[in-house]
Amino acid sequence: MDNSQIENTIIDIRKRSGAVTAFNKDKISNAIFRALAATSKADRGLADQLAENVVNKLVEQGFTSTRTPTVEDIQDIVESTLIDSGNSDIAKAYIVYRHERRKLRDQKKNVLNLKILDPVSKKFDLNCLRVLASRYLFRNGKSEIIESPTQMFERVAILVGIGDILFDSQIFDKSGNITQDIDEAKSYLEKLDAFDYKFKVGDYFFNKWHFRSLINHYVALANQGQMKISFKSVLTLLAAKKLENYADKITEYFDLMVAQDFLPNSPTMMNAGGRLGQLSACFVLGMDDGMSQIMKSTSDAALIFKSGGGVGINYSDLREEGAIVASTSGVASGPVSFMNIINTVTEVVKQGGKRRGANMGIIEAWHPDVEKFITNKTEPGVLENFNISVGIWEDFWHSLVNTDGNYVLRSPRDRKPVKEINSHQLIDLIALSAWKSAEPGLIFFDQINKYNVFAKARQGPLRATNPCGEQSLYPYESCNLGSINLVNLVKRQADGSYEFDWQRYEETIRKTTRFLDNIIDVNTYPVEEITVASKESRRIGLGVMGVADLLYKLRIAYNSKEGYELQSKLSEALTYYSMEESVALANTRGEFPLCSKTEYPEGKIPISGYYEKPKESHSYEWDPLIEKIQKHGIRNVLTTTVAPTGTLAMIADCSNGMEPAFALVFEKRVTVGRFFYTNKIVEEVLKEHDLYSDEILAKIADNYGSLKGLAEIPQWMQDTFVTAMDIHWADHLMAQSVWQDWIGNAISKTINMPYDVTVDDVKSSYLLAHELGLKGMTVYRDGSRHKQVLHMTSENATKTFEVTPSEYVSRYVADNITNPYIKSQVNASLAIKIHDEEIQIETPKIEEVSEDRLCPTCKNNLVFVEGCSMCIECGYSGCTSG
């Protein structure tokens, strides 16, 4: 019997779930090939030959088009075929592989509370599913998981697709001036239960919460006079299947997430298609100096925490501690006391019932209480639900770098001088506190507002950010974030190497810009003022993750000239195409409502790279894009942000954000001994070069998770597969800078420093950061934070190598820094220290970890990455977006 007759004879295969699918001989060959690879006999030809023998046996045993074999039938015959062909070692490997697969399936079922695995569960690895189970999948009143990962991604995709439906030409007219019966549409909000799973497009049914978003989206557009037909007519179109083509859009959004190419921020996955319906990660509230305003902000913060968001507040408008309160003749308790109130509210109101909220507390450098604020968090247990940052303006910076340092602190009430301090002493105090405890961070408000096209419309500068500092917002604004997984966007070449797929990147940016814009319309905001402000600016934050893994795949060192140039182009492409897509959306749906009041009509854009990088170095034609914005407007005031992706990166199975990997190997101690997590790309490379063994993994783990300085590892690997601790802090700043050049908002990044840096080094990092155009920064000195091991690779970790600035950074400092004070400070810190002896810096031991900084969910050690703490076991994150 020839091959075609055999394959025509067995048409189907019955899966474990009972479902029947098409028979595919290649799948048998792939399984045998994996068994061969496990015995170091990776021979594709032999695998194909053995697979053909398996098919022949199936036919001999009577399996035909009318007698369908099961998966188990086929696997049994694979085992016997391998043994009969004299490949007993391969048969053993296959049996082990089969056993491991069965064990893995059982573990997945257990984690997800499923009897049969859904398609996503089969595809995603166990760690990804654990994170989904712990934080994203819906549960019942008994806390039992009641949806599969496939169902979760479907409910998100359906909601996003609803954002497209009402812009259909049968329903929407951009020009407006159409009157509809809005009360009729609103009346459906009273009978949501009656419409649970009643309407659908394609095979996608709308649950009652999807239906609620459809109503609210309709009402918002009808209020703008843009609905051509009544809400009942929209439902008639749905029922008559006149909007079926939107099933393709829903599938597109679903596929983006399931392929792990893109994920929206955590609240979207938690709440889309659910009762809360709150999809945003970032919020900013004002805090004016009056009790009613303070209590209003506190109440709004509680509602935001309850809905799943985090809050940033600038407390600088509150009068200083000890100031006279005229209405009561008492004295003010100061901003820090009111931060404690918000901290307590955060403690008792869990986000969406799943985790505590996150806060950013900001005080500007001119505030009389700034010194107390800076030192407040150096002791454990204080403001635990806050990240804190000092806000810097031009006057402080000028005092620091151009004068003798005299600086006046002023009353928030009337800006009258309160006392004079020395700006050098203040920056020293900030540096010392950050050296000890990784806080406060710095926010450079002068840089944030340098190209702020929105200041004119909002009649003032930006003065606050979200909890992780990457998203500046005006009071009551929110932002919806999402991240593209760059490591997935590679093409394999004929020689086995990889190249980046720029065309696919452009397509993904366009789709995901539309995805995030839709989120604004289908969101259920926690406070009415947030609904208004969010829709006035339509701010979105499209970002990236998987940068370190992408560079590993391409064999490019993160901190090399080639690495920086690639990251710069990736950043420029992200903003260019997202803005171009935003213009296309404005053309069909309308510009954001305040667009005409901004500086966009004047031909200005909020992108520093356009102005500060030589035109010949630009990769894209920005001037024609600016002309398009002037002609059509733009849909979103800003489109790009690089946000923390802690748990999102775990689900996407890639490195965090644009951070370097914090370790290539780190250990997990279990009762039977040491177990190692290894970066998958590095694991593959070690295996390719016959270097993979438990002994090597232990050495890497004990070397801060780094390959540096290990005699067994070839130099090219040491140079290419760099970690956060292999990279000098100045190169961390440079990496943040090459992204910041082209990102509209800002970057969430940790500036990693080794244990032995000085306070002067920390201060120098601030000076260099400002010179590089950063909008803010967070320093993390390894071993800080109350003697806690946050950079955890191994219990025995010692660093046996010195880290020096790259030639790229050194050249930049030499060629571009002209201010004498900054140049002298930075040069002193970047001078390469020469030691005769081997450097050995021991991290504090595990037993010194303070209980209050363990993961609140699973009690494992936290790591510090992207400016916030996260757990690599369960995915808990101290930030809200990722």
Side-chain angles (χ1 to χ4, degrees), residues 120 451 607 840:
V120 175
Y451 303 106
I607 310 300
Q840 287 204 341

Side-chain angles (χ1 to χ4, degrees), residues 233-517:
S233 299
V234 173
L235 298 184
T236 303
L237 287 177
L238 282 167
K241 299 189 174 182
K242 294 288 176 64
L243 299 167
E244 291 293 275
N245 55 316
Y246 289 97
D248 294 338
K249 277 285 178 198
I250 293 171
T251 300
E252 184 178 278
Y253 299 136
F254 175 80
D255 289 345
L256 274 171
M257 294 183 284
V258 169
Q260 297 166 298
D261 289 345
F262 167 82
L263 291 171
N265 53 216
S266 285
T268 296
M269 293 198 291
M270 286 175 177
N271 298 329
R275 181 184 58 80
L276 281 173
Q278 199 292 99
L279 313 175
S280 307
C282 308
F283 299 87
V284 157
L285 296 173
M287 183 70 85
D288 290 331
D289 192 36
M291 193 52 67
S292 61
Q293 298 98 313
I294 291 168
M295 288 301 108
K296 163 75 169 137
S297 293
T298 303
S299 169
D300 290 343
L303 292 171
I304 290 168
F305 297 144
K306 185 180 177 185
S307 76
V311 175
I313 297 176
N314 186 330
Y315 293 84
S316 303
D317 292 335
L318 300 183
R319 71 192 74 184
E320 68 273 21
E321 184 178 359
I324 300 298
V325 181
S327 59
T328 63
S329 298
V331 294
S333 55
V336 173
S337 64
F338 289 104
M339 290 175 70
N340 280 310
I341 293 173
I342 297 283
N343 191 65
T344 303
V345 170
T346 315
E347 201 72 43
V348 296
V349 181
K350 277 191 174 179
Q351 290 187 324
K354 295 186 182 176
R355 57 178 179 178
R356 285 202 302 266
N359 294 280
M360 171 63 82
I362 298 166
I363 284 185
E364 294 169 27
W366 52 262
H367 195 283
D369 287 357
V370 67
E371 291 154 301
K372 178 180 179 181
F373 173 79
I374 289 165
T375 57
N376 203 42
K377 279 197 75 177
T378 51
E379 294 302 317
V382 177
L383 294 176
E384 290 241 306
N385 301 303
F386 269 87
N387 291 329
I388 65 167
S389 287
V390 175
I392 302 292
W393 294 91
E394 294 93 331
D395 62 337
F396 179 84
W397 203 253
H398 179 79
S399 164
L400 183 68
V401 304
N402 294 324
T403 72
D404 57 4
N406 292 335
Y407 187 68
V408 176
L409 303 185
R410 300 180 178 275
S411 168
R413 251 179 322 160
D414 51 20
R415 290 297 192 269
K416 287 182 179 175
V418 173
K419 67 174 179 178
E420 190 174 277
I421 64 164
N422 186 282
S423 55
H424 293 278
Q425 289 177 354
L426 190 66
I427 204 83
D428 285 343
L429 186 64
I430 294 168
L432 175 62
S433 179
W435 183 90
K436 283 182 179 177
S437 64
E439 293 201 79
L442 283 190
I443 296 176
F444 299 122
F445 283 126
D446 54 342
Q447 305 277 29
I448 285 170
N449 287 287
K450 193 173 183 181
Y451 303 106
N452 178 9
V453 295
F454 205 31
K456 191 173 165 185
R458 287 294 186 199
Q459 299 181 331
L462 284 158
R463 289 184 60 208
T465 76
N466 71 322
C468 287
E470 80 283 358
Q471 185 68 57
S472 306
L473 300 168
Y474 284 95
Y476 286 113
E477 268 197 296
S478 68
C479 193
N480 306 295
L481 309 173
S483 301
I484 296 170
N485 180 4
L486 295 181
V487 71
N488 274 15
L489 304 181
V490 292
K491 296 185 288 193
R492 192 165 187 134
Q493 305 291 90
D495 64 357
S497 65
Y498 291 92
E499 71 169 356
F500 190 71
D501 190 336
W502 291 97
Q503 184 180 340
R504 201 165 143 230
Y505 188 35
E506 178 188 342
E507 291 165 3
T508 306
I509 293 166
R510 294 188 186 282
K511 289 175 187 174
T512 52
T513 298
R514 186 175 293 261
F515 183 116
L516 292 177
D517 184 67

